[in-house]
Amino acid sequence: MEMTGAQMVIEAMKLEGVDTVFGYPGGAIMNVYDEIYKQNDFRHILTRHEQAAVHAADGYARSTGRTGVAFVTSGPGFTNAVTGLATAYMDSVPLVVISGQVPITMIGTDAFQEIDATGISRSCTKHNYLVRSAKELPRILKEAFYIAASGRPGPVHVDIPKDVTAEVAAFEYPTHIDLPTYRPTTKGNVRQIKKAAEAICNAKRPVFYLGGGIINSGSAELVREFVQATQIPAVETLMARGSLRYDDPLLLGMVGMHGSYQANMAMSETDLMIALGPRFDDRVTGKLSEFAKHAKVIHVDIDPSSIGKLIDVDYPIVGDLKEVLEVMIPKVKECVDPDRYQAWRNILKRYNEIHPMHFEDSDKVIKPQWVIKRVGEILGDRAVISTDVGQHQMWTAQFYPFSYPRQLVTSGGLGTMGFGFPAAMGVKRGVPDKVSINFTGDGSILMNIQELVTAVESRLPVVNIILNNHYLGMVRQWQTFFYDKRYAETDLSFQPDFVRLAEACGGVGYRVETKEEFDEALQDAVNKGVVAMIDVIIDRDENVLPMVPSGGTLYNMMLEYKD
């Protein structure tokens, strides 16, 4: 069957089972949008900024496990989308982002809205394409979806010149992909797995180091089985929150810069680290030479370039985590004695008794940690939680009771302020039966505030909870700790009226200064099913603790701050 390049794009979405595209039209991609107008196979959600379109596709992907899709135009349309691509790339999120481009004959002429899109996206995508003819478009689109979701997931960018979208060619969509230079290893080496199993059974102080690869591979149930069978304590990275239930007695909490005392001490004193899908981020490891320096290391990851990149690994296993665990767990069960680790568990329990994760509540001012715990008490499993980036992100990771994978949607690697609200829209579209909550700060929310209009128009009821301290809070905290309180450009005392701003865009706003007011506002927003902004005035000087100063060691945490 012959069709135009623009029609091929629409047909490919249909064949890939895409039900939602987030995007923003423009001159170079108008032929594609003309075909969107004619079809009913998927819903297009018009965001008000290209960055938000990619973040929304990202939130959709993280919450569902399916590939997210976004369309943008050339030039500034594409450059606006780059932050979204980089955010997804750092956190291994499967996306296909299609951009319009000036006609082939005009590439390199500094044409209107021309930019070297593939040159820009090369460093922040898993793969990218500049399409040169309609004839190659079906193959490229098929490959894009395959590459995005296979192996270590990531965003794929397809740049399509306008004349290609108008060109007519035969449409034959491939049913099978064979890329000689891209064949991810999914099955782990059995001999290595056996050695790792023996090491686990012989260890005295082992600890599971759970990373985001567990979420991406869909292996959380196997991980839970592994932890229960061995009774080995576990720590989670930010990206792995929800791998274990929050109330699992073997979960020591989050590890790293703002991790729990017992989690960081476990990593410092372990003799065997069982790393399942983490990437040894510097916010986890602190000073590398001191990180788990007494431990042998097992590292399972589907990306061979991640293994041994930052620390030496004794038992490297390349493979899909799910497939590796299906082989490893029975082998460990044959030899493991959970009682062997009782003394180790007692030590870690004592660490938690000495320095538990806590905060000092107040009856005079709302503490941000109370807000997060309260939302957990009221909504619990009913909510999927998105965040922006800053203090509220860390408090959320510390205090929300996560109980299942994909319940937390947050920008971990790139740390993108402005991510939370559009991502929460994608969550609501992907899992409509859940309450979509976005914990944000008064700095972050303004970075994509225009999406209030998108959410209201598209009927995506996101509840934004602004933990408002009138500061760029995390930067202010670092200025307090490390810059002698020189608060350079972090005071946000001048702010919009968030209630009226929400109402102006068709949503509902609440300003909250007491715990009673917060409960009423949250219940009202959830019951009404509306796009809401709850502006919560919190303790202005609250800090995120514990804290490992940048480049410090996990065993030397700041547990309190005294002025």
Side-chain angles (χ1 to χ4, degrees), residues 5-22 32 36 39 41-44 67-71 96-98 137-138 140-142 144-145 158 160 171 173:
Q7 291 170 328
M8 292 178 184
V9 171
I10 304 305
E11 193 65 18
M13 298 301 116
K14 178 181 175 181
L15 293 172
E16 292 293 339
V18 173
D19 66 6
T20 306
V21 171
F22 301 88
V32 175
I36 290 176
Q39 62 83 43
D41 293 312
F42 61 84
R43 182 183 178 190
H44 180 276
T67 298
V69 181
F71 291 176
V96 171
V97 175
I98 294 175
L137 191 50
I140 287 175
L141 291 171
K142 182 67 179 179
F145 277 91
V158 182
I160 311 177
F171 180 78
Y173 203 63

Side-chain angles (χ1 to χ4, degrees), residues 408-473:
L408 174 62
V409 173
T410 192
S411 170
L414 197 65
T416 305
M417 294 174 67
F419 170 82
F421 187 12
M425 295 192 311
V427 168
K428 192 61 189 176
R429 175 60 181 162
V431 283
D433 58 322
K434 296 290 186 182
V435 178
S436 183
I437 297 289
N438 174 37
F439 283 117
T440 182
D442 44 311
S444 285
I445 190 62
L446 289 174
M447 289 197 172
N448 267 314
I449 194 70
Q450 76 285 341
E451 297 310 315
L452 272 169
V453 178
T454 306
V456 172
E457 179 188 53
S458 302
R459 298 183 180 179
L460 298 171
V462 172
V463 179
N464 294 283
I465 300 175
I466 305 171
L467 298 177
N468 190 344
N469 54 12
H470 296 81
Y471 270 129
L472 290 174

Side-chain angles (χ1 to χ4, degrees), residues 5-6 9 13 21-33 36 44 50-51 53-54 68-82 85 95-104 107 113-122 124-125 127-132 137 140-141 144-145 155-166:
V9 171
M13 298 301 116
V21 171
F22 301 88
Y24 201 102
I29 199 168
M30 284 185 67
N31 291 333
V32 175
Y33 270 82
I36 290 176
H44 180 276
E50 292 87 350
Q51 179 187 348
V54 183
V69 181
F71 291 176
V72 299
T73 192
S74 63
F78 175 74
T79 55
N80 283 342
V82 170
L85 284 169
L95 297 183
V96 171
V97 175
I98 294 175
S99 61
Q101 182 55 277
V102 301
I104 289 176
I107 291 177
Q113 291 192 332
E114 182 194 359
I115 195 73
D116 179 9
T118 51
I120 291 171
S121 70
R122 187 165 295 122
C124 59
T125 55
H127 197 60
N128 65 8
Y129 297 90
L130 173 61
V131 184
R132 298 182 181 279
L137 191 50
I140 287 175
L141 291 171
F145 277 91
V156 177
H157 169 218
V158 182
D159 197 33
I160 311 177
K162 188 171 184 178
D163 49 350
V164 172
T165 62

Side-chain angles (χ1 to χ4, degrees), residues 197 201 225-226 228-230 328-337:
C201 293
E225 177 188 344
F226 204 0
Q228 289 305 314
T230 59
M328 182 182 287
I329 291 173
K331 292 187 182 300
V332 173
K333 284 182 175 178
E334 290 175 1
C335 62
V336 73
D337 175 11

Side-chain angles (χ1 to χ4, degrees), residues 134-189:
K135 183 180 179 181
E136 63 181 8
L137 191 50
R139 172 186 58 80
I140 287 175
L141 291 171
K142 182 67 179 179
E143 289 179 2
F145 277 91
Y146 173 70
I147 292 171
S150 59
R152 179 177 180 172
V156 177
H157 169 218
V158 182
D159 197 33
I160 311 177
K162 188 171 184 178
D163 49 350
V164 172
T165 62
E167 184 183 352
V168 175
F171 180 78
E172 294 179 4
Y173 203 63
T175 57
H176 177 70
I177 294 295
D178 184 17
L179 298 171
T181 58
Y182 176 71
R183 289 176 177 168
T185 299
T186 59
K187 291 185 178 180
N189 183 287

Side-chain angles (χ1 to χ4, degrees), residues 332-405:
V332 173
K333 284 182 175 178
E334 290 175 1
C335 62
V336 73
D337 175 11
D339 292 340
R340 179 182 176 85
Y341 316 125
Q342 186 60 52
W344 171 230
R345 291 193 293 268
N346 290 342
I347 291 171
L348 297 176
K349 181 181 178 183
R350 181 62 182 148
Y351 282 140
N352 191 49
E353 291 169 351
I354 297 171
H355 296 297
M357 184 67 74
H358 77 291
F359 67 98
E360 296 293 331
D361 203 0
S362 170
D363 294 327
K364 297 178 180 178
V365 62
I366 295 180
K367 293 286 186 173
Q369 302 95 327
W370 177 87
V371 175
I372 290 158
K373 290 190 70 172
R374 187 64 181 148
V375 175
E377 290 167 0
I378 294 174
L379 297 177
D381 293 357
R382 293 169 57 201
V384 172
I385 305 298
S386 302
T387 80
D388 269 302
V389 171
Q391 287 181 307
H392 64 274
Q393 180 190 34
M394 292 296 102
W395 285 319
T396 301
Q398 290 175 332
F399 290 100
Y400 195 87
F402 296 105
S403 57
Y404 55 90

Side-chain angles (χ1 to χ4, degrees), residues 309-329:
K309 183 169 71 174
L310 294 170
I311 68 166
D312 293 332
V313 175
D314 302 280
Y315 306 96
I317 301 172
V318 178
D320 177 81
L321 193 49
K322 197 170 186 178
E323 294 191 29
V324 170
L325 290 180
E326 285 172 347
V327 178
M328 182 182 287
I329 291 173

